[in-house]
Amino acid sequence: MNAGMLEELTAQVISILESNDHPKLGTYTNSMRPYDRGMVFEELSDLKQKRAFVESLEISSLAELLRYLSPEEQAIAISFIDQAILGKVLDEMPNDDLAEMLDVLQQDQAAALVNVMSKEEAQIVQDIMTYPAESAGRLMTNRHVWIYPDMTVHESIEKLREYAKVFDTIHYLYVVNEEHKILGAASFRDLLLADAADSIEKIMSKNPITVQSFVDQEEVARLIEQYDLIAMPVVNEANKLLGIITVDDVIDVLIQEATEDIERLSGSGKEITFKTKPVVAFAKRLPWLVLLLLIGLVSGTIISRFEETLATVVALAFFMPMIAGMTGNTGTQSLAVVVRGLTTNRIDKKTVSKLIIRESLVGVMIGVSCGILIAFIAFFWQGSITLGFIVGLSLLITLVFGTLAGTIIPLILHKFNVDPAIASGPLITTLNDILSLLIYFGIATSLIARFPL
Amino acid sequence: MNAGMLEELTAQVISILESNDHPKLGTYTNSMRPYDRGMVFEELSDLKQKRAFVESLEISSLAELLRYLSPEEQAIAISFIDQAILGKVLDEMPNDDLAEMLDVLQQDQAAALVNVMSKEEAQIVQDIMTYPAESAGRLMTNRHVWIYPDMTVHESIEKLREYAKVFDTIHYLYVVNEEHKILGAASFRDLLLADAADSIEKIMSKNPITVQSFVDQEEVARLIEQYDLIAMPVVNEANKLLGIITVDDVIDVLIQEATEDIERLSGSGKEITFKTKPVVAFAKRLPWLVLLLLIGLVSGTIISRFEETLATVVALAFFMPMIAGMTGNTGTQSLAVVVRGLTTNRIDKKTVSKLIIRESLVGVMIGVSCGILIAFIAFFWQGSITLGFIVGLSLLITLVFGTLAGTIIPLILHKFNVDPAIASGPLITTLNDILSLLIYFGIATSLIARFPL
């Protein structure tokens, strides 16, 4: 849905709201697509209209509505839901979405909601919330159908039919033993192709791909992507089936992880979207910039140490921004390759050493090419062989180091499980600035002393 | 699957290959998971082993194998497939994967493959290849089941059962009229909950979300994500059903688009992964770096114009890298927000003007904060009010311009459909370098003339 369609849809809802035709409103709002319903609710600017919109919705529509709202809008919608039905609405929400919602609410608000829920659902949600953030356990829902291997295809379809009334989406049937350990899975296709009297044991696929509850969500996304799955069972250490993760959650994970990678590379604040308010965006971006400013001053002190060299050959300053910039550029390139690689590859020693060797070679090749190029340019521009040599040699060395810094720093942070947001592009660029100035002025000072320009 | 598991699996296959036990080999390789089979094939280093591996596979396993291989490995595998069955293998591949494969092969190779295929399949694949790159038409497969609205649920299930024998995955049934225009869709859940004698017209959902064949793949991914779909019908202008796009293709699109965004931001060459060879990575990265080097020289000529100012106050050089760096940093932050926003938002005038106003405000707030901070630092460090003022004012102005450049440049490129890869982070950084030096030395020269240090 694009902005134009949303405006149109919202206008239509507003006109029905203003007509005060309650039956018409209910028919309309309850038959909307869940995503559209959420977007229109967020778009309504008048709180009275939001209230009337919420009051027109049935329990199942309300449960869907909450899934598609941002945390702030969820709080508004909840405040308009009749207390008498709130518990039922929450019980009907998929428990992964519910856990996500409770997670961002303030503790007392979350507790109040848990209180109105059925005890069983409340327990399930609280269990989910004990799993670490961004783990498979957090993404899973208990809305899956399990069967036993000695059931027939006909019996399984009957069970499925029962559950279909309650669950929106059912992708696979999971086969478990009496201890609820997972034995296999059967798809609709398997059921369709089998005879009604066949036993499940005969038609199920054995050894389904499973994931343990504590595994990182990126690993889950990788498995679903690699094996083209629509849902994936989550198990505990004893292989007991705990729940399933569906592909729509994985899509959200992929988008979230890509956004995180980009925030990391750019040093932009977390979660700045087109909708973020100026002051919030400012507050999120400033800390990084102040840190980079202070680190950037280090380059100033380095230059001040070489003040004498610089005063002797002012032309050295001409090449300063280019050398610093190029070192940052090659570092950023390497960083991007590593950051992206970390999300799509499992990292082991072999991979890491191959990567470092590769990037060293690339760094040397880039350094030699660019170094020779700039040496000639500097010589023809300033007419000094010494200056050409200083600039070329400096660029060669800084490009090799810059490339390696962009490769090794994120790998080290990854190894020590440090939040890789620290290895942002701007930080690498700023560190490479400092490194390149040290190398440049170091080489210049020692060479000028011996071969004056 | 991680590197360790892959090594283990490959070792197992090699030991069976070496045992020369053909029946055992066939049983093992044909029952592997498709993704695992592809990875193991790529891992085998001996061409004789690759040949034996391919020869052990049945037609359907071969069709799956090709889907999971890189272009180079596909060419190797195809060369080992018996010419007598090659046509059947290709006919059995989903036609979107087949089109992708043919697309990267050399023309004569692709033509040779098309020749051995059945005429019908060849026509379908050639049709798909006429759609523009990265469009919905390219992603779609014709492996979907359509039914008519006057069919009963029982008849539909019978039709589905027939198709399930041929198709791996069946998610929805699409309801069409005699002209093959799409009328609705029915899920398995709808079929399960209905009576066998119900007509499809009664149970289908009307107005399913569809996408036109020429629409960009990012838009397809957005719709599947927003509406939590597993498959989506592709139609032509007359609403005639052409094929479907499945969620696994959308996952690949999301990964590809995120990678492109990151390549864009970092100015790293296209498609450099952990496996890319050093010379290839070098060749992909160098053009950008040489371009940036040449642009970077502009900053050198700017400084050379202000040589006199710099010779008078060498301390100006101390703050040069910091000011240039900070301008680049804020520009990169804005760029990241815009690039990411472009993939998740539809862009209209309202959105753009709101965004530019927001970023202007953020730029001013950042500029004022950092400008005041650095003015004090410069004053206390160098003991000159004039220098503090010059540095503070320059940083304020360059940060405002830098923020706006990082916002507006990618938006303009997007507007004119220029490949946004041009608006890379390093380019914005390099342009901001030049801008910031002009502003810094401009302010310094005019102020120092009036208020000597």
Side-chain angles (χ1 to χ4, degrees), chain B residues 324-376:
Chain B
M326 289 297 286
T327 315
N329 292 337
T330 187
T332 308
Q333 287 186 334
S334 295
L335 177 66
V337 173
V338 175
V339 166
R340 200 58 197 152
L342 288 176
T343 63
T344 44
N345 293 273
R346 288 288 286 261
I347 302 304
D348 49 30
K349 272 190 186 165
K350 204 176 136 192
T351 316
V352 168
S353 56
K354 272 175 82 175
L355 184 68
I356 293 178
I357 293 170
R358 204 267 310 269
E359 290 295 305
S360 311
L361 287 171
V362 171
V364 171
M365 289 189 271
I366 287 175
V368 171
S369 322
C370 293
I372 291 177
L373 178 64
I374 197 67
F376 276 100

Side-chain angles (χ1 to χ4, degrees), chain B residues 53 86 98 156 167 205 223 230-231 246 269 271 294 361 433:
Chain B
F53 188 86
L86 182 56
L98 188 53
S156 306
F167 298 172
S205 5
L223 287 167
I230 295 172
T246 52
E271 288 161 26
L294 297 176
L361 287 171
D433 268 9

